[in-house]
Amino acid sequence: MIVDQKFFQHLQLLVIVLLLSWRDTFEHSTGMKDVIRCIEKEKEALLKFKDELIDEYSQLSSWGNEKYKKDCCKWSGVGCDNQTNHIVELDLVNMGLRGNISISLLEIQHLKYLDLGENDFNHSRIPQFIGSLGRLQHLDLSNSNFSGEIPHHLGNLSELNSLRLSSSADGSLTSTNLDWLSRLHSLKNLSMFSVNLTMATDWLQIITKLTQLQHLFLDSCNLPMVLPPSPFNASNSLSAFGLTGNEFSSSWIFPLVFNLSSSLTLLDLSSNKLQGEIPISLGNMSRLTSLYLYGNQFTGEVPCPALSSSLTDLDLSNNMFNGTIAQCIGSLSKLEYLYLVSNNFEGIITESHFSDLSQLQGLYLSSNSGISFNISLGWNPPFQLTGLYLTDCNIGPHFPTWLRTQTRLKYLDISNAEISDTFPDWFWELSPKLRSLNASNNNFQGVLPDLSSKFSNFDSIDLSFNHFNGSLPILPPNGFVVDLSSNEFSGSITNIYNETSCYWEYLDLSNNLLAGQLPDCFANLQNLVYLNLAHNNFSGKIPSLKVTLSLHLQNNSFTGEIPTSLRSCTSLTFIDLSQNKLTGNIPTWVGDTWTYLVFLSLRSNEFFGSIPSHLCHLANLQVLDLSLNKISGGIPKCLNNLTAMIQVDSEFDSAFILYYEGGFESAFVTWKGKEAEYINTLNLVKLIDLSSNNLIGDVPTEITSLVTLVGLNLSRNNLSGFLPPNIERLRSLDFLDFSRNHFSGGIPTGISQLDQLGVLDLSYNNLSGKIPQSIHLQTFNVFAFEGNPRLCGLPLTKACPKDEIAQVPKIGHNVDGMKNQEEDKLINDGFYISMAVGFVFGFWGVCGTFVLNHS
Ligand SMILES: *[C@@H]1O[C@H](CO)[C@@H](O)[C@H](O)[C@H]1NC(C)=O
Ligand SMILES: *[C@@H]1O[C@H](CO)[C@@H](O)[C@H](O)[C@H]1NC(C)=O
Ligand SMILES: *[C@@H]1O[C@H](CO)[C@@H](O)[C@H](O)[C@H]1NC(C)=O
Ligand SMILES: *[C@@H]1O[C@H](CO)[C@@H](O)[C@H](O)[C@H]1NC(C)=O
Ligand SMILES: *[C@@H]1O[C@H](CO)[C@@H](O)[C@H](O)[C@H]1NC(C)=O
Ligand SMILES: *[C@@H]1O[C@H](CO)[C@@H](O)[C@H](O)[C@H]1NC(C)=O
Ligand SMILES: *[C@@H]1O[C@H](CO)[C@@H](O)[C@H](O)[C@H]1NC(C)=O
Ligand SMILES: *[C@@H]1O[C@H](CO)[C@@H](O)[C@H](O)[C@H]1NC(C)=O
Ligand SMILES: *[C@@H]1O[C@H](CO)[C@@H](O)[C@H](O)[C@H]1NC(C)=O
Ligand SMILES: *[C@@H]1O[C@H](CO)[C@@H](O)[C@H](O)[C@H]1NC(C)=O
Ligand SMILES: *[C@@H]1O[C@H](CO)[C@@H](O)[C@H](O)[C@H]1NC(C)=O
Ligand SMILES: *[C@@H]1O[C@H](CO)[C@@H](O)[C@H](O)[C@H]1NC(C)=O
């Protein structure tokens, strides 16, 4: 198929090339004079105009002085008048042009149509001279990074029919008044997007003067709610009116809108601050076909009288509607798209809600958890939907059998819809056009059939969080997102797709009962961005894999070494190989090639050898978990090169999370002794866990440079020497475990300054001297210090000899920040009470940001 397409493309190209060369030869040999329509003076002007532009993408390559480019009327984007040959049209939309707009444009005096939209004029001003192109009828300068005050000279363009202006989202294009607009008597279409009109208090007055207006859009313009001129009326011909993204209130905007001509067919007041119920009088706009009110704060039910029976598009999403959905909505017989997403609608949806909706194509009721469906099994709906979105509605417990009639479905979302059923076989034959299916978070059971040839054109299939069982189905190779996680699929995978190429970018088979070796076909998944096979029982070696961003293989039984194929995955940011039986040294190339890595967990495997200092090159790393292995040697001194653990705000946060809508990153770490899964909180947690290995030597003081570290666990090793003296630098630390090593010397007093610390464990070492006394430190349990026979002072019961002070580790260098802040505090029972409270808050304060697994 693909081969065929390519072949035809080549063929087309060949034919064009042949035709062109034939034409050239023909013209030359016959000496036939090509009719050049272009006017020389205008051509020169255009070339000057081009000269001052930066045409990075060679979009204007047909513009030139060369012989075969003689006719400027044939240049791309240029249009000439058939009779006079004057250039009348310049359409340069979205050509990636930059640079300056040359005044030579003025030579093209007959220009009627100028579109420079979607280019990048580097926040320069709109040139005033554009106002002198007196014949312009159409001017589009939108989304081209113009800034500053709009030149009032544009008001000279008295023949203008259509004007589009916008700044890039920053609202840096402004107009302090719109007086200049009032001179554009012929204006029919006016759109201004994110133009800062805060100061333009005359905007309503001006609108009343534009008597020819048909389409008026003033979106995100910070329009002031000024006293409307009395009477306020607008052009009789106004048919589309949009004021999205301003801050209007209901009481201000509705009286105004009701006074607009009854010819209005489109009204868009979305993303304002409209409140209360929708006023009934809205129903008087009898020609209204499109009504967009999403993103406001409307309450109540949908009052049917407020809805014109001509409506084809109705969007009331993202409001606070809290009543029932009235059945009368079923009489809006022209309705094609109905959006009621994300409200608090409640009540029961029945067949009569749809009685006359024969034109309905898109039904969006998602995120209204109070809605249930009560529809008979044999219902034959009057419509044919292409999109159906019912997330969070209660449509169960049975599969909605009426879908059987919907053979044009492209998008179906019945996730979290309380369905407890099997997936009917007819469903897979229903609509070959299906592009996206989301049936996740239900209670579907049963075995899935071979799906490889069921969809010709699918983007995503999400059946996660159900109870599908049996072996994994063969899946269509052409989609992007495949999520079958958290089901009960079992057996080994022999093949999951049956073509030679596969386009999947997101594959999640985690939390199933799958076992056996991964088949070789995984190596052919060349487009994978996200691969999650965690929490299965896969065994054998990890095959050759190519994954761009995120790899999760934890909690399986993989053996062997980290495959060298992963070495080419240089943009990986997230790798979790924990809880397998992997072995070997930690390869040094890990630090050299995975430079974008944010998360690395090799926890609970059989890795040995020492920690390569190359890991210190991972400047973006936020979680390093090597715990529960057989790693020996010392802790590298270069840990202070892990700069993400030093920076307060890692730049990574937003780029990393939610690569796919609905997808998320999650991982297990051992957090304060409990295994916790955290989701989307990587930006909060910075963690080093080297516990339960065979590490020796002392803790390099460099580790205290990692000032944004939240958790540090070095427990259960053979580490010795003194605790880092300037440990108070780790001021973000919430969890610190040095237990079960051979640390000696005193506890650095700085530890009492770690006021974020929720869990501290120094037990079973050779620490000695007095435990530093501070209110915070006393809140820790006695278990934090036990097993250090030479340690004394509270909370231990062993009292110190009267004159003993906390011992200061004697280290020649790096003693900055060492302060001997001994305070003899009054100890009373109150401390033991605050101890318990402090512990509980300390623990849950952080765990609250975690989403515990199986919650
Ligand atoms: C645009 O104009 C500025 C100032 O006149 C000049 O410095 C710059 O070189 C011009 N850019 C181009 C591409 O001609
Ligand atoms: C000019 O000629 C082109 C091509 O022959 C034609 O498509 C277009 O309609 C003509 N325009 C006018 C205004 O006659
Ligand atoms: C506008 O400028 C910004 C940078 O200032 C750039 O990121 C953006 O792509 C530009 N917009 C267009 C349409 O070129
Ligand atoms: C854009 O403007 C900035 C400053 O206003 C200037 O430094 C830069 O060179 C300009 N870029 C281009 C491509 O003209
Ligand atoms: C165009 O408009 C500006 C400002 O509105 C004015 O000063 C100028 O005289 C006008 N030019 C012409 C040619 O009408
Ligand atoms: C105005 O905009 C509408 C809708 O985009 C379009 O159909 C119509 O042709 C435009 N009218 C003018 C005069 O540009
Ligand atoms: C719009 O302009 C006003 C007045 O010049 C200014 O105070 C305001 O910050 C601007 N708004 C935006 C979003 O730039
Ligand atoms: C609406 O128009 C009527 C009649 O022209 C007028 O009396 C009334 O004041 C207008 N209302 C508003 C809010 O402009
Ligand atoms: C608006 O109303 C005024 C007074 O009734 C009238 O003179 C004017 O023509 C009306 N304008 C439009 C656009 O209908
Ligand atoms: C809907 O919300 C409004 C405002 O919060 C409240 O007054 C009304 O009682 C609610 N209606 C229902 C049916 O819950
Ligand atoms: C594999 O794909 C072909 C067509 O692409 C299909 O006919 C066949 O049923 C699929 N399944 C198996 C197991 O071969
Ligand atoms: C640590 O960073 C310093 C300075 O950027 C560099 O000179 C040194 O080679 C790095 N060390 C390691 C092991 O990456």
Side-chain angles (χ1 to χ4, degrees):
M1 191 58 199
I2 290 160
V3 174
D4 286 354
Q5 271 177 10
K6 284 231 170 96
F7 175 72
F8 278 115
Q9 275 167 9
H10 284 304
L11 197 67
Q12 269 176 0
L13 210 65
L14 195 69
V15 170
I16 290 167
V17 169
L18 281 176
L19 280 175
L20 284 176
S21 54
W22 173 79
R23 198 188 65 180
D24 275 3
T25 351
F26 178 76
E27 282 171 5
H28 284 294
S29 59
T30 58
M32 192 183 94
K33 212 172 162 220
D34 204 5
V35 188
I36 308 279
R37 295 159 56 211
C38 178
I39 291 168
E40 193 60 25
K41 186 168 156 249
E42 295 184 352
K43 177 178 154 184
E44 293 304 321
L46 275 191
L47 286 175
K48 269 193 216 150
F49 173 68
K50 181 188 172 181
D51 270 352
E52 298 202 22
L53 290 173
I54 303 170
D55 179 18
E56 203 174 330
Y57 307 99
S58 300
Q59 297 277 349
L60 303 182
S61 57
S62 56
W63 297 29
N65 257 325
E66 294 88 335
K67 210 172 156 199
Y68 64 98
K69 292 179 182 171
K70 269 186 297 213
D71 191 355
C72 67
C73 294
K74 292 189 176 140
W75 293 355
S76 61
V78 179
C80 297
D81 184 277
N82 287 355
Q83 264 91 51
T84 66
N85 292 344
H86 282 297
I87 296 175
V88 290
E89 183 175 317
L90 262 187
D91 183 355
L92 307 179
V93 65
N94 198 10
M95 291 190 165
L97 300 172
R98 294 184 296 129
N100 302 330
I101 298 177
S102 164
I103 196 162
S104 65
L105 215 51
L106 280 189
E107 313 264 330
I108 310 173
Q109 270 298 338
H110 294 262
L111 206 57
K112 288 186 188 160
Y113 185 107
L114 178 60
D115 191 342
L116 299 175
E118 314 280 339
N119 291 294
D120 185 0
F121 293 104
N122 196 19
H123 302 283
S124 61
R125 305 229 152 167
I126 295 174
Q128 295 179 353
F129 60 76
I130 289 187
S132 306
L133 292 166
R135 292 195 168 93
L136 272 189
Q137 294 176 0
H138 176 106
L139 177 61
D140 190 339
L141 303 176
S142 62
N143 205 12
S144 276
N145 274 341
F146 286 110
S147 297
E149 182 76 10
I150 298 171
H152 292 192
H153 305 72
L154 296 188
N156 294 347
L157 301 172
S158 56
E159 298 190 12
L160 214 55
N161 282 327
S162 164
L163 175 62
R164 283 171 58 92
L165 297 170
S166 74
S167 40
S168 33
D170 60 358
S172 54
L173 195 63
T174 60
S175 194
T176 45
N177 69 69
L178 293 181
D179 195 40
W180 55 277
L181 260 181
S182 64
R183 287 179 280 145
L184 302 179
H185 300 293
S186 317
L187 207 57
K188 294 195 172 72
N189 285 2
L190 172 62
S191 12
M192 295 208 244
F193 296 97
S194 83
V195 176
N196 188 343
L197 299 180
T198 310
M199 310 299 279
T201 49
D202 58 350
W203 70 276
L204 277 177
Q205 237 150 4
I206 302 299
I207 287 175
T208 58
K209 292 185 185 158
L210 299 173
T211 56
Q212 305 296 312
L213 269 188
Q214 295 173 354
H215 298 253
L216 174 61
F217 293 94
L218 300 172
D219 295 349
S220 305
C221 288
N222 292 32
L223 289 167
M225 288 191 274
V226 289
L227 207 61
S230 180
F232 172 73
N233 51 3
S235 150
N236 288 326
S237 43
L238 192 65
S239 73
F241 188 32
L243 293 170
T244 305
N246 288 287
E247 307 228 311
F248 298 134
S249 65
S250 299
S251 55
W252 187 84
I253 193 71
F254 278 116
L256 208 80
V257 168
F258 297 145
N259 252 28
L260 292 177
S261 82
S262 54
S263 57
L264 216 55
T265 61
L266 181 151
L267 179 61
D268 186 350
L269 299 177
S270 52
S271 304
N272 276 287
K273 297 209 160 136
L274 310 181
Q275 289 177 316
E277 307 212 343
I278 297 185
I280 304 287
S281 343
L282 200 61
N284 296 342
M285 295 188 178
S286 57
R287 300 210 188 157
L288 214 54
T289 59
S290 304
L291 177 60
Y292 305 111
L293 298 175
Y294 62 84
N296 283 293
Q297 294 149 24
F298 287 114
T299 51
E301 25 184 283
V302 180
C304 287
L307 302 174
S308 140
S309 59
S310 316
L311 282 177
T312 60
D313 290 45
L314 175 61
D315 193 340
L316 304 179
S317 301
N318 293 79
N319 277 288
M320 292 150 66
F321 287 106
N322 57 351
T324 54
I325 298 177
Q327 290 187 0
C328 54
I329 213 156
S331 58
L332 300 174
S333 60
K334 305 248 168 62
L335 213 54
E336 295 172 14
Y337 294 93
L338 176 61
Y339 302 86
L340 302 176
V341 173
S342 289
N343 280 291
N344 299 316
F345 281 118
E346 41 190 50
I348 293 173
I349 302 276
T350 62
E351 291 159 33
S352 43
H353 280 93
F354 305 106
S355 52
D356 290 333
L357 302 186
S358 60
Q359 306 297 310
L360 200 65
Q361 296 173 36
L363 178 59
Y364 300 74
L365 300 180
S366 295
S367 303
N368 284 289
S369 50
I371 292 183
S372 338
F373 275 61
N374 182 5
I375 276 171
S376 67
L377 287 178
W379 182 46
N380 190 6
F383 48 68
Q384 281 289 341
L385 300 177
T386 54
L388 176 60
Y389 291 81
L390 300 176
T391 315
D392 298 339
C393 302
N394 178 357
I395 60 174
H398 297 295
F399 192 88
T401 45
W402 59 270
L403 286 185
R404 194 165 195 163
T405 58
Q406 302 300 301
T407 56
R408 290 186 208 154
L409 270 181
K410 284 189 186 161
Y411 305 96
L412 177 62
D413 188 344
I414 48 170
S415 59
N416 196 25
E418 304 191 29
I419 306 174
S420 195
D421 205 346
T422 54
F423 234 83
D425 281 341
W426 54 256
F427 179 83
W428 307 111
E429 314 296 335
L430 182 64
S431 175
K433 292 211 181 81
L434 200 65
R435 297 181 69 110
S436 164
L437 169 65
N438 187 348
S440 62
N441 289 288
N442 283 292
N443 189 16
F444 282 114
Q445 303 124 35
V447 178
L448 290 175
D450 176 2
L451 302 180
S452 58
S453 55
K454 304 296 190 207
F455 310 103
S456 50
N457 203 3
F458 97 100
D459 289 337
S460 81
I461 183 165
D462 184 353
L463 303 176
S464 61
F465 293 94
N466 281 292
H467 295 104
F468 288 111
N469 53 25
S471 55
L472 219 51
I474 301 183
L475 293 157
N478 47 353
F480 297 111
V481 179
V482 175
D483 190 347
L484 302 181
S485 63
S486 298
N487 278 288
E488 288 155 23
F489 291 110
S490 59
S492 62
I493 302 180
T494 46
N495 217 346
I496 42 177
Y497 61 92
N498 79 352
E499 307 269 331
T500 48
S501 56
C502 186
Y503 299 97
W504 301 344
E505 294 181 0
Y506 183 107
L507 177 61
D508 192 346
L509 303 177
S510 63
N511 285 297
N512 279 291
L513 307 168
L514 298 165
Q517 282 189 236
L518 293 184
D520 290 339
C521 67
F522 268 89
N524 296 334
L525 296 172
Q526 289 291 307
N527 298 304
L528 281 180
V529 174
Y530 176 100
L531 175 63
N532 192 344
L533 304 176
H535 307 290
N536 282 289
N537 197 20
F538 290 116
S539 55
K541 295 201 167 171
I542 300 173
S544 172
L545 288 176
K546 181 164 182 285
V547 181
T548 318
L549 209 56
S550 191
L551 175 63
H552 305 247
L553 300 178
Q554 70 270 24
N555 199 3
N556 281 288
S557 300
F558 287 115
T559 53
E561 305 194 354
I562 299 177
T564 46
S565 64
L566 287 177
R567 200 170 172 168
S568 61
C569 305
T570 51
S571 53
L572 271 170
T573 58
F574 196 113
I575 298 182
D576 194 342
L577 303 178
S578 63
Q579 290 176 283
N580 280 290
K581 295 174 179 154
L582 298 170
T583 180
N585 288 302
I586 299 172
T588 53
W589 53 259
V590 164
D592 297 329
T593 56
W594 289 343
T595 49
Y596 295 99
L597 217 54
V598 171
F599 183 103
L600 176 63
S601 178
L602 305 178
R603 196 167 80 85
S604 193
N605 278 288
E606 287 157 23
F607 289 106
F608 51 77
S610 56
I611 301 175
S613 61
H614 297 70
L615 288 190
C616 300
H617 300 165
L618 301 175
N620 295 306
L621 204 62
Q622 294 185 20
V623 172
L624 174 63
D625 189 346
L626 306 178
S627 62
L628 288 157
N629 280 288
K630 295 173 180 159
I631 297 167
S632 54
I635 301 174
K637 286 201 189 308
C638 57
L639 283 180
N640 57 344
N641 280 19
L642 299 175
T643 46
M645 300 191 191
I646 297 173
Q647 283 150 8
V648 176
D649 293 308
S650 93
E651 285 172 24
F652 208 70
D653 302 354
S654 51
F656 183 50
I657 295 167
L658 289 181
Y659 182 76
Y660 281 104
E661 202 185 331
F664 55 77
E665 293 295 356
S666 66
F668 282 87
V669 288
T670 307
W671 184 250
K672 298 179 177 176
K674 283 198 171 184
E675 194 172 78
E677 182 175 18
Y678 58 90
I679 294 170
N680 280 354
T681 51
L682 272 190
N683 47 341
L684 302 177
V685 176
K686 296 179 182 177
L687 178 73
I688 291 182
D689 190 344
L690 307 177
S691 64
S692 300
N693 279 293
N694 304 322
L695 295 171
I696 54 166
D698 51 13
V699 181
T701 51
E702 284 80 0
I703 210 165
T704 59
S705 305
L706 307 179
V707 294
T708 53
L709 207 60
V710 174
L712 177 60
N713 190 349
L714 303 178
S715 66
R716 292 165 200 268
N717 280 291
N718 293 319
L719 296 165
S720 55
F722 298 132
L723 298 183
N726 49 355
I727 195 149
E728 71 276 6
R729 294 183 66 195
L730 297 175
R731 54 179 183 270
S732 313
L733 218 53
D734 181 32
F735 173 55
L736 179 62
D737 192 347
F738 283 155
S739 66
R740 292 177 197 270
N741 281 289
H742 309 295
F743 291 116
S744 56
I747 298 174
T749 50
I751 222 166
S752 62
Q753 294 168 37
L754 299 175
D755 46 16
Q756 306 291 317
L757 207 57
V759 170
L760 173 70
D761 195 347
L762 303 176
S763 63
Y764 297 97
N765 281 291
N766 294 326
L767 298 169
S768 56
K770 187 175 180 182
I771 297 171
Q773 303 295 296
S774 81
I775 296 176
H776 186 62
L777 221 49
Q778 304 311 311
T779 60
F780 294 110
N781 202 296
V782 64
F783 301 126
F785 303 100
E786 70 181 0
N788 291 287
R790 295 198 289 141
L791 215 50
C792 63
L794 289 169
L796 293 176
T797 49
K798 183 181 169 195
C800 294
K802 204 150 196 198
D803 53 348
E804 181 144 23
I805 55 162
Q807 281 198 8
V808 176
K810 298 179 197 74
I811 293 180
H813 56 96
N814 230 339
V815 286
D816 58 308
M818 277 294 298
K819 283 182 223 125
N820 203 350
Q821 289 186 327
E822 254 315 279
E823 300 155 277
D824 258 320
K825 288 245 154 74
L826 258 182
I827 309 290
N828 59 33
D829 289 349
F831 281 119
Y832 292 95
I833 294 165
S834 69
M835 173 181 92
V837 173
F839 182 79
V840 169
F841 275 94
F843 186 80
W844 286 108
V846 173
C847 279
T849 63
F850 282 58
V851 182
L852 291 170
N853 191 30
H854 305 305
S855 62

